[in-house]
């Protein structure tokens, strides 16, 4: 015990010293960081704090000091929202959730019945609760977080909170929307009663400012968005839920918590290096909440503030050519939901957003359509955590990307979005209603699809032939920044990596993410250079990893040549990630796609002075059969499609599959779930300039599968 106390004391001393020094602006910073790495107790935790501080500017340090002071004031009852004015319930905002009379009731009732039975799916775990959920308990590990002041709770420590992703997910209350949908569609009181019971229990177990559900402003914002949808679906103030005395007391408690949520978020916005999807989501949560519950004097000022800064962040965090700057495609759909839901709430309440905001949404949808292959596959570039703002659909084959394109087809009158979406999904029908369904049906057939193939500001380029047909070959190249802001939290070290699909069959893939806060070895693997289809030098990542959601040095990639033509597409790019090595190394990659020959030539040029180990990594989808020849040649086959990779230099080939020490040969399609897959690594050693050329030959079966006919048959599609 005394040893633990001494460790804790020394750790606090190092943290205070780090705060006092204020990051790398001081000459002593880097040497002190090395000393801490070598000597400090609980090295990894201390180093993470130190590395995080090194990525902060002086203004950010001042801001965070103010935030810390404010948190301590709240801890002692100051600057809180414990006492609030009586709400003026005479104000009646308009609902932005429309619904559709033709929605299939059965699947919503079935999903709601499962919830009433005490079963909830949370990522890779089935959370079974006897009576009520234990809201402060991680359903995966069983660890219950303490009800201490939330802003001082170390939610990164699994010994204290378990896996915080698992704990937070049920508290976003996406599943409450399912209960409200079932009530709206059926009128059955049992769903309303189930909702009442869960709401009551949450308010009891999660008191204001205490516990893990009062730590992250983003989590509160997502909760508010889902509460807003629930409120609308159960008829708001006039809901039968509130008719009796018990219901009126519940409504009063709920409104108090809603006010406290907005007050908390407004006081703890994610700024500076944390101003990524968190800040955008927090502003959207405030905006939607103040339109849903405009019952207090402060609501108008909060709403105007949120709208002004939401527009600012939407334009800042997403490039003019439609790419989310976090360089993580899953977060593109996450951010789009915030932007779209806020815009719909504003439009229905005569508070529409400016045209440039809507244009940015349309450009972001164009990017999704451009990287999506003919079967709807989207590369898993950057971080992904299965995070959704809302879950309005219970369709078993629901695809968030296609859903957004379906909504975009209606909102922007885009038949080409409709063709990529294939059909109108349930989520779009809940958002845009019967009028949206009719407009979707009336959209005229699109001609030949022609989405942009270069996104120079976002850093993505698309090579290929016969795109958006059953014979397409699609190559998506990443030459963008590592990520957003100084920490690049959700970026992966994947400069000049690419994915390849043939006829909508994925062959070369980005393996995904798998882990966030826990399983450090796996977290580091999936975001590292070796887990991407690019070149790795001396076993080092292109960028320097400083811990979860933190990169200390960022590889800068850029395209130096781009051509697209009737017969040939060509991309040339390079990055500077390995210039930091004692013997600096330059990596340049050229991709030439011959549309007639269906051949992709990959030329990797590596320039250095001393000897280095060069690895070319090839990651295949988990359902691809891979064989490696004695000369390193690779044959990959899937459903009659074949991809061959022929090295035009002497290489040593290593085939990996489902290996754990070290990790290799995996694909993660879902958070906390990984599947065995084949990875081939070509290794060579070189001194000075070396040019490694690879031919990738694509072969299609003589008779193509019919599974993608709805995507190809325009006439039939536009009759649905």
């Amino acid at each position: 015990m005394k040893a633990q106390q001494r460790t804790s004391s020394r750790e606090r001393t190092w943290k205070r010293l780090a705060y006092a020094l204020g990051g790398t602006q001081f000459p002593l910073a880097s040497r002190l960081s090395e000393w801490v790495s070598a000597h400090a107790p609980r090295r990894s935790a201390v180093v993470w704090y130190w590395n995080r501080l090194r990525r902060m500017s002086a203004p950010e340090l001042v801001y965070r000091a103010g935030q810390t002071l404010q948190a301590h004031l709240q801890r002692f009852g100051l600057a809180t929202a414990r006492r609030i004015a009586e709400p003026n319930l005479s104000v009646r905002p308009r609902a932005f959730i429309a619904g559709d009379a033709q929605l299939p009731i059965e699947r919503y009732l079935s999903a709601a019945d499962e919830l009433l039975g005490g079963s909830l799916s949370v990522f890779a775990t089935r959370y079974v609760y006897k009576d009520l959920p234990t809201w402060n308990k991680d359903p995966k590990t069983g660890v219950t977080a303490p009800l201490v002041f939330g802003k001082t709770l170390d939610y990164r420590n699994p010994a204290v909170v378990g896996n915080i992703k698992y704990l937070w997910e049920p508290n976003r209350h996406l599943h409450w929307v399912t209960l409200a949908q079932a009530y709206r569609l059926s009128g059955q009181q049992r769903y309303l009663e189930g909702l009442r019971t869960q709401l009551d229990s949450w308010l009891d177990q999660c008191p204001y400012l205490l516990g893990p559900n009062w730590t992250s402003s983003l989590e509160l914002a997502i909760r508010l968005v889902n509460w807003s949808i629930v409120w609308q679906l159960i008829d708001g103030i006039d809901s039968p839920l509130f008719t009796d005395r018990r219901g009126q007391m519940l409504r009063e408690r709920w409104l108090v918590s809603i006010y406290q949520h907005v007050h908390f978020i407004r006081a703890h916005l994610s700024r500076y290096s944390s101003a990524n999807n968190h800040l955008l989501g927090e502003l959207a949560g405030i905006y939607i909440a103040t339109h849903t519950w405009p019952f207090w004097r402060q609501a108008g000022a909060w709403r105007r503030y949120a709208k002004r800064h939401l527009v600012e962040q939407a334009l800042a965090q997403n490039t003019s050519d439609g790419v989310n700057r976090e360089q993580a495609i899953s977060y593109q759909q996450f951010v789009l939901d915030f932007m779209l839901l806020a815009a719909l709430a504003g439009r229905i309440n005569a508070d529409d957003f400016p045209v440039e905001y809507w244009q940015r949404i349309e450009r972001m949808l164009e990017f999704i359509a451009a990287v999506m292959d003919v079967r709807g596959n989207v590369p898993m570039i950057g971080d992904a955590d299965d995070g959704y703002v809302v879950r309005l659909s219970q369709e078993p084959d629901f695809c968030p990307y296609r859903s957004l394109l379906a909504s975009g087809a209606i909102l922007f009158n885009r038949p080409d979005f409709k063709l990529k979406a294939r059909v109108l999904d349930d989520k779009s029908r809940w958002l845009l209603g019967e009028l949206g369904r009719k407009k979707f049906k009336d959209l005229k057939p699109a001609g030949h699809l022609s989405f942009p193939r270069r996104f120079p500001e976002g850093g993505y380029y698309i090579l290929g032939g016969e795109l958006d047909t059953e014979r397409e070959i699609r190559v998506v190249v990443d030459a963008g920044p590592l990520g957003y802001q100084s920490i690049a939290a959700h970026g992966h070290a994947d400069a000049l990596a690419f994915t390849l699909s043939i006829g909508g069959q994925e062959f070369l893939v980005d393996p995904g993410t798998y882990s966030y806060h826990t399983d450090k070895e796996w977290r580091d693997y999936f975001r590292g250079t070796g887990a991407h289809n690019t070149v790795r030098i001396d076993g080092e990542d292109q960028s320097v990893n400083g811990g979860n959601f933190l990169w200390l040095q960022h590889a800068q990639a850029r395209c130096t040549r781009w051509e697209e033509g009737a017969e040939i597409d060509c991309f040339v790019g390079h990055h500077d990630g390995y210039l930091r090595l004692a013997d600096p190394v330059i990596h340049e990659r050229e991709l030439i796609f011959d549309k007639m020959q269906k051949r992709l030539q990959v030329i990797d040029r590596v320039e250095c002075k001393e000897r280095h180990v060069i690895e070319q990594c090839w990651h295949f989808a988990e359902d691809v059969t891979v064989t490696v020849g004695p000369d390193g040649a690779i044959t990959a086959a899937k459903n009659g499609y074949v991809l061959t990779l022929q090295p035009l230099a002497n290489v040593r080939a290593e085939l990996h599959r489902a290996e754990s020490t070290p990790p290799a040969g995996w694909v993660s399609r879902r958070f906390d779930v990984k599947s065995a897959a084949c990875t081939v690594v070509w290794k060579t050693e070189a001194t000075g300039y070396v040019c490694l050329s690879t031919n990738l030959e694509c072969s299609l079966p003589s008779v193509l599968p019919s599974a993608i006919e709805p995507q190809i048959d325009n006439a039939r599609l536009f009759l649905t």
Side-chain angles (χ1 to χ4, degrees):
M1 179 62 72
K2 290 182 179 179
Q4 290 178 350
Q5 290 173 345
R6 288 195 299 270
T7 296
S8 178
S9 176
R10 287 196 295 266
E11 198 171 311
R12 287 195 298 271
T13 300
W14 281 113
K15 290 179 185 177
R16 288 168 183 159
L17 181 57
Y19 272 100
L21 288 172
T24 54
Q25 296 143 359
F26 295 86
L28 188 59
S30 59
R31 278 178 288 173
L32 180 59
S33 179
E34 293 171 3
W35 197 96
V36 170
S37 298
H39 297 284
R42 290 188 61 185
R43 186 170 65 241
S44 60
V46 175
V47 169
W48 186 91
Y49 278 106
W50 173 247
N51 286 337
R52 185 67 182 87
L53 285 164
R54 291 170 63 194
R55 304 306 298 169
M56 295 182 190
S57 64
E60 178 172 3
L61 287 169
V62 173
Y63 175 77
R64 289 185 179 273
Q67 288 283 289
T68 301
L69 174 61
Q70 185 171 37
H72 283 297
L73 290 174
Q74 290 185 329
R75 185 177 187 180
F76 294 107
L78 302 174
T80 64
R82 294 191 183 280
R83 294 182 179 181
I84 67 174
E86 285 292 321
N88 177 10
L89 303 183
S90 64
V91 184
R92 296 300 178 99
R94 298 185 64 188
F96 64 86
I97 296 296
D100 186 339
Q102 296 188 18
L103 282 161
I105 297 177
E106 292 76 15
R107 58 178 166 233
Y108 291 94
L109 302 191
S110 175
D113 287 342
E114 192 171 82
L115 294 171
L116 293 182
S119 179
L120 173 65
S121 177
V122 184
F123 301 127
T125 294
R126 173 63 61 175
Y127 179 26
V128 178
Y129 45 92
K130 293 181 179 179
D131 300 311
L132 291 169
T134 304
W135 297 107
N136 296 303
K137 178 181 178 180
D138 165 20
K140 180 182 181 181
T141 65
V143 174
T144 299
L147 274 182
V148 298
F149 183 67
K151 293 303 290 183
T152 61
L153 178 65
D154 185 5
Y155 65 82
R156 296 182 180 88
N157 188 344
V160 176
V161 301
N163 188 319
I164 194 62
K165 278 289 297 176
Y166 274 90
L167 191 155
W168 275 342
E169 186 66 19
N171 288 278
R172 291 180 169 186
H173 296 161
L174 279 71
H175 64 289
W176 287 11
V177 173
T178 303
L179 293 172
Q181 287 173 311
Y183 167 72
R184 180 67 168 260
L185 292 171
S186 70
Q188 296 182 33
Q189 287 293 120
R190 61 196 184 98
Y191 300 117
L192 205 58
E193 284 301 316
L195 185 61
R196 180 206 300 267
T197 303
Q198 293 222 4
L199 173 57
D200 234 347
S201 71
W202 192 89
L203 294 172
D204 287 340
Q205 295 179 34
C206 305
Y208 179 45
L209 297 181
L210 299 181
N213 292 306
W214 292 93
T215 56
S216 167
S217 291
L218 178 64
E219 297 305 313
L220 275 72
I222 295 174
R223 193 151 55 237
L224 281 177
V225 173
N226 284 282
W227 284 3
S228 168
I229 295 173
V230 169
W231 182 270
Q232 295 172 60
L233 290 174
I234 65 173
D235 297 322
I237 291 295
D238 301 318
S239 173
L241 185 63
F242 308 133
T243 53
D244 58 12
R245 178 58 184 159
R246 179 187 169 204
Q248 290 172 5
M249 292 176 62
L250 178 61
R251 183 181 67 187
E252 182 179 338
R253 293 179 69 206
W254 195 9
L255 288 174
V256 167
S257 187
I258 288 164
Y259 182 98
Q260 290 170 336
H261 272 64
V262 179
H263 184 274
F264 182 98
I265 297 168
R266 179 65 185 87
H268 299 288
L269 290 169
S270 301
R271 293 290 191 187
Y272 295 97
S273 59
S274 296
N276 51 15
N277 68 86
H278 282 239
L279 178 57
L280 198 148
E282 290 155 12
L283 294 167
I286 292 174
Y287 183 79
I288 291 169
T290 50
H291 264 306
T292 307
W293 303 283
F295 304 140
W296 299 278
R297 178 179 53 82
Q298 298 92 332
W302 283 339
R303 181 168 59 251
R304 290 187 294 272
Y305 176 91
K307 181 181 179 181
R308 181 171 72 254
H309 290 280
L310 181 55
V311 172
E312 172 190 287
Q313 290 301 314
L315 300 181
Q317 293 191 31
N318 303 289
T319 66
S320 59
D321 53 12
V323 178
N324 181 258
R325 293 187 189 275
E326 297 210 65
Q327 310 299 134
I329 294 182
S330 178
Y331 279 86
Q332 180 118 352
Q333 64 85 22
F334 188 63
V335 163
L336 269 168
D337 260 3
F338 281 125
M339 293 172 62
L340 185 59
L341 291 165
L344 293 176
R347 175 171 285 183
I348 199 70
N349 286 287
D351 186 29
D352 206 353
F353 279 69
V355 63
E356 58 266 27
Y357 181 93
W358 284 102
Q359 287 173 343
R360 194 57 52 96
I361 291 177
E362 188 174 5
R363 295 291 85 78
M364 293 171 72
L365 293 173
E366 283 183 345
F367 173 69
I368 288 175
V371 298
M372 178 186 288
D373 73 17
V374 72
R375 288 178 181 266
N377 300 305
V378 174
M380 296 184 292
I381 295 170
D383 269 352
D385 66 348
D386 292 359
Y388 297 103
V389 181
V390 295
R391 187 175 289 117
L392 287 165
S393 171
Q394 292 296 328
E395 295 157 295
D397 58 349
F398 174 78
C399 172
Y401 302 106
R402 281 203 170 120
S403 171
L404 284 164
L405 290 172
S407 295
I410 298 166
L411 291 168
F412 300 106
N413 195 32
R414 294 285 298 261
D416 53 347
F417 286 173
K418 174 180 178 178
L419 193 59
K420 293 288 283 198
R422 296 195 185 186
V423 296
L424 185 64
D425 64 293
D426 282 6
K427 177 188 167 193
S428 296
R429 292 168 71 178
W430 280 105
L431 291 176
L432 302 172
E434 295 183 20
L435 290 177
R437 173 170 52 82
K438 292 174 182 176
K439 186 174 180 181
F440 187 85
K441 182 178 180 181
D442 292 341
L443 281 172
K444 301 302 179 185
H448 175 67
L449 293 184
S450 182
F451 294 105
R453 295 176 54 197
R454 59 186 292 270
F455 298 85
E457 191 178 357
Y460 296 96
Y461 298 82
I462 299 157
L463 300 82
E466 300 182 76
L467 297 180
D468 295 302
T469 74
E470 72 275 19
R471 303 188 64 81
E472 78 163 20
I473 298 170
R474 185 180 300 263
V475 178
V476 179
V477 187
D478 183 350
L482 174 65
Y484 190 48
Q485 303 285 29
S486 62
I487 60 174
H490 293 297
H492 288 189
D494 55 4
L496 306 185
F498 68 91
T499 62
L500 184 150
S501 66
I502 308 172
Q505 305 280 343
E506 292 182 291
F507 274 82
L508 291 173
V509 300
D510 186 309
T513 300
Y514 179 62
S515 178
Y516 260 24
H517 295 86
T518 57
D519 302 310
K520 181 182 185 301
E521 185 180 22
W522 291 101
R523 172 71 172 151
D524 290 347
Y525 167 71
F526 275 99
R527 65 204 289 250
T529 300
H532 297 88
N533 300 310
T534 188
V535 167
R536 183 169 68 169
I537 304 294
D538 296 338
E540 297 281 341
D541 288 338
Q542 299 160 339
S543 296
V544 178
N545 183 349
N548 287 344
F549 311 105
L550 175 62
W551 294 95
L552 295 179
Q553 294 184 33
H554 301 185
Q556 301 294 328
R558 71 184 186 95
C559 173
T560 56
R561 179 183 166 203
W562 167 255
E563 297 176 9
E564 55 179 294
E567 297 181 359
I568 297 289
D569 289 341
C570 178
F571 163 89
V572 181
H574 71 263
H575 73 85
D576 63 1
Y578 292 121
L579 293 181
R580 74 178 192 274
L581 300 181
D583 175 48
V585 177
I586 296 174
H587 174 217
E588 180 184 76
R589 169 165 276 187
E590 181 174 4
L591 284 82
I592 304 169
F593 182 71
D594 185 322
K595 301 182 183 184
M596 301 300 293
Q597 299 296 323
K598 294 181 171 54
R599 177 190 300 125
L600 176 68
Q601 185 177 15
V602 179
I603 305 169
D604 288 308
R605 302 181 181 94
V606 177
E607 187 172 353
C608 53
K609 292 181 180 179
E610 300 176 1
R611 180 167 292 274
H612 294 274
V613 176
I614 302 169
E615 296 172 292
Q616 294 169 285
C617 306
W618 310 102
H619 296 270
F620 295 91
E622 58 271 48
D623 52 355
V624 172
T625 301
V626 176
T627 57
V628 181
D631 62 347
I634 305 169
T635 302
K638 175 180 178 180
N639 297 332
Y641 298 81
V642 178
L643 174 68
T644 59
L645 294 84
Q646 182 67 52
L648 303 183
N650 292 326
V651 297
R652 184 174 76 256
E654 296 178 355
L655 175 62
H656 304 278
R657 182 177 175 85
E659 298 171 13
S660 299
T661 51
W666 299 94
V667 169
S668 176
R669 301 273 177 185
R670 295 173 51 208
F671 181 74
D672 205 29
V673 176
K674 61 185 186 294
S675 302
C678 288
T679 294
V680 179
V681 178
W682 287 342
K683 286 189 176 182
T684 188
E685 293 188 14
T687 303
Y689 176 82
V690 62
C691 181
L692 303 173
S693 185
T694 307
N695 282 339
L696 288 77
E697 305 278 355
C698 306
S699 301
L700 286 75
S702 55
V703 178
L704 294 169
S706 59
I708 55 176
E709 285 183 0
Q711 173 77 4
I712 307 306
D713 188 343
N714 289 17
R716 184 167 65 185
L717 170 66
F718 281 87
L719 290 175
T720 60

